[in-house]
C-alpha cells in the first residue's frame, strides 16, 4: 500500500496543480455544445451560419496544431513551469473575447487562442508531471490530466445550459487565474535545472519534491542521464531526425504516436462532439440528459483508474481497455445498423447506445485515455522531449480533426453505424499493438525506461548509492 509521505504529498500537490491546465482545456472543449444551441435561438443577439459554426468549432484544432513546436521550444528555454505560466495568457484572452463576442470572427479567434493553450499544455504538461514524480506514483499522477479534462467538460455541460454566455465566460475565465496562482507556487522540474547546469537549483527542487529527504543518489542519476542524452546535442531538425533514426528513440516514437492516434480514432473526440446529436431518447431522458450522465460516469471511472494504474500495470489496463472499447462499440454499431438499414423495431432497445457510450467511457478511462499521455511523458530522453511531445500533440490534434470529419461524412453517406464499427476495430487493433510492441513502464524510473529501450541491462538505483539489477 502506498504511504503518503511528505514527498508524495508534495508531488501530488504539484502534479494536480499542473493538471488544472486540463481543467481549463476541458471547459474549452465543452462550451460550444450548450453555447451553439443558444446562438440558434430566435432571440439570440448573434446568429451563426452552419459554415460559421463549423469554423468556430474547428478553429480550436488549428491552434492546437500550430502551438506545440513553439511550446516545446519554450519548454527547453524557459522551463516547464514558466512555459505553462506564460501560456496562461491565451485562455484568458479567449474568455475575454467570448464575453465581448459580437461576431463569428471573434468566436473563431477565441477558439484559436484556446487551441494555442490546448496544444501548448498537451506538449508540456505530461513532461512536467513525469519529471517530478517518483516511479510508484507517476502513473497515478498522469491520470489527473484525463480526469481534469472530464471535470472541465462536465462543468461546461452542466452549467452552460443554465447561464448566459457572458456569465459562462466569467466563470471559466477565473480558472486560468487560479491555475496561475496555484501552479506558480510549485517548483520547476529538476530535469530542466540540470539541463541548464543549475545543479544547486535542481537539488533544491528535488529535495522539496522528495520531502526534504536526501536526494544525492537520485540527483546523480538525473545528472548522468541528462549528460548522456545531451552529449550529442544538435539542432532542432537533427533532433527530430534522431526520433526516427536512432532505434531506441524510434521505438518510443512509434509507441507514443500510434497510441495517441489510436486513442483519438477510437472515437473519443466524436463522442464529446456529437453525443447529444446521435444518442436516442431513453424513456424520460433526452439526449442532453444522456450526455450529462455519460460525462459523469466517465469522470467517476477515471477516478477509479487512479487507484489501479500503478498497481495493475500499464499493459493489463490497456488490454482491458481495448477489449472494452471493441465490444461496446460493436454492439452500438449493430443497434444503429438495425435502426437505419432494416425494418426491425429497435425502440425497445433505445438504451443500448447509451449503455455502449457508458461502457466505452469506463473502459477508455481505464487505460487508453489516461495512459497515452502517461507514455508521452515517460518514453523520450530529456534532450528530445520538447520535439517529441510537440509532434505527439500535433498527431493527436490531426487524428481528432480527421476522426470528427469522417464521422460527419460517413454518417451522411454510409450510416452512423459505420463510425462505431471503425471505433470497435480500432479497439481490437490497439489490443494487438499493445501486446506485440508496447513496453511495460510500471515502477520504472525514467532512466530505467531509457535503458530498456536501448536494450541495456536495467539497474535500479538505491538511496544509499548502490545499485540493484532488475
Amino acid at each position: 500500500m502506498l504511504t503518503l509521505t511528505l514527498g508524495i504529498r508534495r508531488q501530488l500537490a504539484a502534479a494536480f496543480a499542473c493538471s488544472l491546465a486540463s481543467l481549463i482545456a476541458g471547459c474549452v472543449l465543452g462550451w460550444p455544445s450548450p453555447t451553439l444551441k443558444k446562438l440558434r435561438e430566435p432571440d439570440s443577439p448573434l446568429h451563426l451560419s452552419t459554415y460559421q459554426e463549423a469554423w468556430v468549432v474547428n478553429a480550436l484544432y488549428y491552434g492546437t496544431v500550430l502551438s506545440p513546436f513553439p511550446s516545446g521550444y519554450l519548454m527547453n528555454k524557459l522551463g516547464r513551469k514558466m512555459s505553462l505560466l506564460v501560456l496562461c495568457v491565451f485562455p484568458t484572452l479567449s474568455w475575454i473575447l467570448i464575453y465581448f463576442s459580437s461576431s463569428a470572427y471573434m468566436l473563431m479567434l477565441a477558439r484559436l487562442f484556446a487551441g494555442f493553450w490546448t496544444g501548448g499544455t498537451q506538449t508540456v504538461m505530461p513532461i512536467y508531471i513525469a519529471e517530478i514524480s517518483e516511479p510508484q506514483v507517476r502513473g497515478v499522477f498522469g491520470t489527473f490530466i484525463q480526469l481534469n479534462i472530464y471535470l472541465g467538460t462536465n462543468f461546461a455541460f452542466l452549467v452552460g445550459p443554465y447561464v448566459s454566455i457572458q456569465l459562462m465566460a466569467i466563470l471559466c475565465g477565473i480558472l486560468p487565474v487560479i491555475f496561475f496562482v496555484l501552479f506558480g507556487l510549485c517548483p520547476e522540474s529538476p530535469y530542466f535545472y540540470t539541463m541548464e547546469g543549475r545543479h544547486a537549483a535542481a537539488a533544491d527542487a528535488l529535495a522539496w519534491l522528495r520531502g526534504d529527504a536526501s536526494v544525492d543518489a537520485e540527483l546523480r542519476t538525473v545528472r548522468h542521464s541528462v549528460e548522456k542524452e545531451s552529449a550529442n546535442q544538435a539542432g532542432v531538425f537533427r533532433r527530430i531526425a534522431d526520433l526516427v533514426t536512432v532505434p531506441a528513440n524510434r521505438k518510443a516514437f512509434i509507441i507514443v504516436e500510434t497510441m495517441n492516434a489510436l486513442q483519438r480514432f477510437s472515437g473519443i473526440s466524436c463522442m464529446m462532439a456529437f453525443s447529444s446529436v446521435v444518442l436516442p431518447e431513453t424513456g424520460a431522458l433526452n439526449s442532453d440528459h444522456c450526455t450529462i450522465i455519460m460525462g459523469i460516469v466517465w469522470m467517476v471511472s477515471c477516478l477509479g483508474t487512479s487507484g489501479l494504474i500503478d498497481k495493475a500495470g500499464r499493459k493489463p489496463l490497456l488490454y482491458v481497455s481495448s477489449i472494452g472499447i471493441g465490444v461496446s462499440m460493436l454492439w452500438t454499431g449493430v443497434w444503429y445498423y438495425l435502426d437505419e438499414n432494416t425494418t426491425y423495431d429497435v425502440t425497445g432497445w433505445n438504451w443500448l447506445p447509451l449503455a455502449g457510450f457508458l461502457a466505452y467511457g469506463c473502459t477508455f478511462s481505464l487505460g487508453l485515455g489516461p495512459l497515452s499521455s502517461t507514455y508521452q511523458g515517460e518514453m523520450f530522453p530529456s534532450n528530445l522531449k520538447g520535439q517529441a511531445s510537440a509532434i505527439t500533440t500535433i498527431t493527436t490534434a490531426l487524428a481528432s480533426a480527421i476522426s470528427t470529419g469522417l464521422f460527419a461524412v460517413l454518417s451522411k453517406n454510409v450510416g452512423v453505424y459505420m463510425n462505431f464499427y471503425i471505433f470497435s476495430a480500432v479497439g481490437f487493433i490497439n489490443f494487438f499493438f499493445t501486446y506485440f510492441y508496447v513496453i511495460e513502464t510500471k515502477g520504472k524510473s525514467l532512466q530505467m525506461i531509457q535503458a530498456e529501450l536501448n536494450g541495456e541491462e536495467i539497474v535500479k538505483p538505491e538511496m544509499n548509492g548502490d545499485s540493484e539489477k532488475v
Side-chain angles (χ1 to χ4, degrees), residues 14-339:
F16 190 78
C18 179
S19 68
L20 289 177
S22 286
L23 180 67
I24 300 169
C27 292
V28 165
L29 290 169
W31 78 261
S33 182
T35 300
L36 292 179
K37 284 187 177 181
K38 289 183 177 181
L39 295 178
R40 293 176 183 178
E41 295 175 357
D43 59 346
S44 172
L46 176 60
H47 292 280
L48 306 180
S49 66
T50 303
Y51 178 76
Q52 288 173 327
E53 284 187 356
W55 271 97
V56 168
V57 172
N58 288 331
L60 176 76
Y61 296 115
Y62 301 139
T64 303
V65 169
L66 291 173
S67 61
F69 274 108
S71 299
Y73 175 81
L74 285 177
M75 180 179 78
N76 288 332
K77 289 296 180 182
L78 301 180
R80 283 71 161 129
K81 171 185 170 180
M82 187 56 65
S83 296
L84 289 172
L85 295 178
V86 169
L87 287 170
C88 256
V89 68
F90 292 114
T92 305
L93 289 175
S94 177
W95 292 116
I96 291 173
L97 284 170
I98 291 170
Y99 181 88
F100 291 105
S101 59
S102 58
S103 69
Y105 298 106
M106 290 182 71
L107 291 178
M108 292 176 197
L109 186 58
R111 290 283 284 177
L112 184 69
F113 284 159
F116 291 159
W117 168 257
T118 303
T121 55
Q122 287 178 352
T123 301
V124 181
M125 186 170 36
I127 303 302
Y128 177 85
I129 291 176
E131 289 181 346
I132 68 166
S133 305
E134 294 180 59
Q136 68 268 27
V137 293
R138 194 171 59 239
V140 175
F141 295 165
T143 65
F144 292 171
I145 296 174
Q146 190 69 41
L147 175 62
N148 275 293
I149 288 177
Y150 287 156
L151 282 170
T153 304
N154 283 329
F155 178 79
F157 285 166
L158 289 167
V159 176
Y162 306 107
V163 301
S164 67
I165 296 173
Q166 287 73 26
L167 182 54
M168 182 73 177
I170 292 173
L171 293 174
C172 293
I174 294 171
L175 295 177
V177 178
I178 294 174
F179 169 81
F180 189 91
V181 172
L182 292 181
F183 190 55
L185 300 173
C186 298
E188 178 57 85
S189 163
Y191 277 78
F192 172 73
Y193 282 140
T194 303
M195 291 168 64
E196 292 286 291
R198 298 164 62 183
H199 301 302
D204 290 341
L206 192 60
W208 187 89
L209 289 164
R210 300 300 181 258
D212 301 320
S214 175
V215 294
D216 291 342
E218 185 176 0
L219 196 61
R220 285 196 299 271
T221 302
V222 171
R223 185 182 300 183
H224 174 73
S225 175
V226 169
E227 289 174 352
K228 179 181 177 182
E229 293 162 0
S230 303
N232 297 316
Q233 190 67 274
V236 173
F237 294 107
R238 175 57 187 273
R239 276 178 273 174
I240 293 175
D242 285 345
L243 286 172
V244 293
T245 57
V246 178
N249 298 337
R250 182 168 61 244
K251 180 163 187 173
F253 187 73
I254 291 173
I255 289 172
V256 173
E257 302 311 307
T258 303
M259 188 179 296
N260 276 271
L262 291 176
Q263 186 220 53
R264 292 290 141 174
F265 283 122
S266 76
I268 184 62
S269 299
C270 299
M271 300 280 191
M272 289 184 172
F274 302 113
S275 57
S276 62
V277 178
V278 301
L279 278 172
E281 293 190 1
T282 306
L285 300 176
N286 60 32
S287 59
D288 287 332
H289 296 149
C290 291
T291 299
I292 292 172
I293 291 171
M294 180 188 74
I296 293 173
V297 170
W298 288 16
M299 183 178 65
V300 172
S301 65
C302 193
L303 280 170
T305 302
S306 299
L308 290 174
I309 196 166
D310 279 318
K311 294 180 180 179
R314 277 61 156 161
K315 292 185 71 170
L317 292 180
L318 285 169
Y319 294 147
V320 175
S321 179
S322 300
I323 293 173
I325 290 170
V327 173
S328 63
M329 290 294 93
L330 181 60
W331 88 55
T332 303
V334 169
W335 187 93
Y336 280 100
Y337 177 82
L338 293 174
D339 183 52

Side-chain angles (χ1 to χ4, degrees), residues 417-459:
Y417 71 91
M418 184 55 67
N419 292 289
F420 298 103
Y421 286 166
I422 293 174
F423 301 157
S424 175
V426 169
F428 292 120
I429 290 170
N430 191 70
F431 178 90
F432 290 107
F433 174 71
T434 300
Y435 182 81
F436 288 108
Y437 205 76
V438 175
I439 68 171
E440 179 60 74
T441 61
K442 171 193 170 187
K444 298 174 183 175
S445 68
L446 300 183
Q447 294 76 32
M448 292 167 67
I449 294 170
Q450 287 304 307
E452 181 172 348
L453 288 168
N454 282 283
E456 300 171 0
E457 190 173 39
I458 302 176
V459 178

